[in-house]
Amino acid sequence: MPLRKRDRDNAAGLTRRDALAAAAGLASAAALGPALAAPAPIPFGSAAQIETFRADPRYRQALLTYCDVIVPMNDLKWEAIRHDRSRFDFSGADELVGFAERNGKALRGHALLWGEALPPWAREMSTRAEAERELVEHIETVVDRYKGRIATWDVVNEVIKFDPLEGGPMRDTIWQRLLGPEHVEIAFRTAARVDPKARLVLNDFNFEEGWPGTAERRRVALDICRRLKDKGIPVHGIGMQAHLYAENSLDIDGLQAFMVEIGKLGLDVEITELDVIDWKLPADAGTRDRAAASLVGSFLNAIVSVRRPKAIVTWGLSDRYSWIHDTFPRKDKAKARPLPLDADFKPKPMMAVLDRYRRGRA
Ligand code: G3I
């Protein structure tokens, strides 16, 4: 499929200002002067997996070199903190939070409520009262511990049904079964009460393509946030996980309309788990890397052209460590190439795209 001019520009590293300067026949973007001030840099970051963080010094160094923001990939999940019902184990989270703080990195917390990554005892909760008590106590304890340190929380993760057109908006989880849709309100209300300064985000996936179910997911996300706001419950943003399928096209118009609606609600947008699922692309590494960079460029260009995200976070940094390889295995068994650094931690074309936003050049 021939790349559109915008995609070619993206891949070539041209910025919006470069294009405007060229169109005006100016020698460089600098000649545009302050009238078209450079866009604000968008902080870039990555999820950090504790096992890899402990085992691979190159991984730690990459987090230091490339990231403004760090999010513990698994260590703030119930599965990690609450494996024993009677106590909270913050060892992994404290290690990553401490690393981020010592190195001046901002922190995102993931996730106060999710229907997955739960310890067995939580899956066995059986009454409304038990679920509400455990949920409130968990959020109170976790948010209080990191109050003023973790600036942004994925308060709820993946509460929207995979295809809301099939039987209703909310995903079937233990929280939904015991508390109904109110589980979302309880989570946001509790987090806001404990840390009124934290930014509180609804985080979910599959907002990017043009299927009817995807458009409905965008609508449901907005509706949930609108209901929270109507009840005076603080919500600050929508997190787009953005696990992009390289073989599918983006719904640029749908994405831009989503950004307009997010703005009308006074919400921020965050890109929270960006990576590229390349399992259907040709084997050649260069081809895959260029296609992934172009897809990320088109996606971010669509978003940023309407609303600048508060942060752009990838779900890992190096192809050496990614969930994609096992979850979306390639028929040719070639290693997935979903992230901005290759398996030897060398930057790929995707990192150049991300770096333009990080430096306020796009
Ligand atoms: O920590 C235990 C370890 O003690 C044990 O020996 C090992 C083997 O059982 O499991 C380890 O826990 C694993 C954990 O990752 C840490 O490596 C869990 O089994 C495993 O299920 C967990 O997978 C994570 C998954 O979320 C579920 O929590 C992935 O690393 C993580 O990339 C993935 O991330 C999710 C986001 O949270 C939400 N969006 C989708 C994204 C991809 O699935």
Side-chain angles (χ1 to χ4, degrees):
M1 173 181 68
L3 285 177
R4 290 171 297 188
K5 179 176 180 330
R6 175 170 59 191
D7 297 340
R8 287 198 304 278
D9 289 352
N10 271 324
L14 283 180
T15 67
R16 181 175 62 112
R17 284 165 55 83
D18 294 335
L20 285 168
L26 298 170
S28 76
L32 288 169
L36 266 169
I42 301 175
F44 170 72
S46 172
Q49 193 170 24
I50 193 72
E51 298 89 348
T52 313
F53 174 81
R54 287 170 176 162
D56 192 338
R58 297 170 303 173
Y59 186 83
R60 289 196 297 277
Q61 184 55 53
L63 291 169
L64 294 174
T65 302
Y66 294 102
C67 294
D68 311 304
V69 185
I70 288 176
V71 51
M73 184 179 279
N74 297 307
D75 292 87
L76 284 166
K77 293 173 181 172
W78 281 61
E79 188 174 52
I81 296 175
R82 309 295 306 281
H83 38 78
D84 178 343
R85 184 168 196 167
S86 60
R87 69 183 184 87
F88 288 72
D89 175 5
F90 289 109
S91 53
D94 281 352
E95 192 172 340
L96 291 171
V97 168
F99 172 81
E101 289 177 320
R102 285 192 303 278
N103 292 286
K105 309 299 183 183
L107 282 150
R108 298 193 85 256
H110 172 84
L112 295 173
L113 177 151
W114 190 17
E116 295 185 36
L118 291 169
W121 66 264
R123 296 183 190 280
E124 287 144 26
M125 292 187 292
S126 58
T127 68
R128 178 187 179 78
E130 180 184 27
E132 181 162 2
R133 184 178 64 249
E134 292 293 348
L135 178 57
V136 169
E137 182 196 8
H138 179 85
I139 294 177
E140 285 176 339
T141 306
V142 176
V143 174
D144 185 55
R145 183 182 190 86
Y146 300 110
K147 185 172 180 175
R149 303 166 68 191
I150 292 181
T152 304
W153 280 103
D154 290 339
V155 175
V156 299
N157 184 53
E158 302 180 10
V159 295
I160 301 170
K161 198 176 186 66
F162 183 81
D163 180 353
L165 294 174
E166 300 277 326
M170 305 304 286
R171 189 170 183 178
D172 177 23
T173 68
I174 186 91
W175 305 111
Q176 173 64 17
R177 289 195 295 277
L178 295 178
L179 296 168
E182 198 188 338
H183 70 284
V184 175
E185 296 173 22
I186 294 167
F188 275 89
R189 185 182 283 117
T190 307
R193 170 170 51 83
V194 177
D195 187 353
K197 291 197 170 65
R199 293 183 58 257
L200 307 177
V201 169
L202 174 143
N203 192 52
D204 221 308
F205 64 95
N206 273 15
F207 289 132
E208 299 82 20
E209 295 169 359
W211 322 120
T214 307
E216 183 63 6
R217 290 178 65 79
R218 295 192 287 258
R219 194 198 62 76
V220 169
L222 292 165
D223 190 49
I224 292 170
C225 293
R226 189 176 297 111
R227 293 169 188 271
L228 289 170
K229 289 181 80 77
D230 289 350
K231 293 184 176 181
I233 300 171
V235 53
H236 304 98
I238 288 178
M240 301 175 72
Q241 293 184 10
H243 300 294
L244 304 178
Y245 289 82
E247 73 273 19
N248 296 339
S249 53
L250 297 169
D251 179 2
I252 300 295
D253 294 342
L255 278 170
Q256 294 183 322
F258 190 36
M259 293 304 111
V260 168
E261 292 306 315
I262 285 175
K264 283 181 187 170
L265 283 173
L267 297 174
D268 296 321
V269 63
E270 312 217 356
I271 310 303
T272 58
E273 306 183 15
L274 179 62
D275 49 24
V276 174
I277 299 163
D278 66 355
W279 62 342
K280 306 291 188 199
L281 289 184
D284 177 67
T287 304
R288 283 197 271 160
D289 291 350
R290 283 188 297 277
S294 176
L295 178 61
V296 166
S298 298
F299 169 67
L300 293 176
N301 196 48
I303 301 292
V304 170
S305 59
V306 179
R307 198 149 186 79
R308 289 188 82 77
K310 293 295 280 189
I312 298 172
V313 174
T314 51
W315 207 239
L317 280 173
S318 164
D319 295 342
R320 180 177 293 273
Y321 307 107
S322 167
W323 70 293
I324 299 283
H325 181 67
D326 295 330
T327 311
F328 299 94
R330 290 175 56 89
K331 286 198 172 57
D332 60 13
K333 306 282 187 267
K335 197 95 161 95
R337 301 180 69 87
L339 290 166
L341 301 178
D342 70 14
D344 296 321
F345 292 83
K346 291 201 179 30
K348 294 156 56 183
M350 189 192 299
M351 184 57 91
V353 173
L354 295 163
D355 201 50
R356 286 215 311 275
Y357 291 98
R358 186 185 184 202
R359 297 185 187 287
R361 297 189 59 236

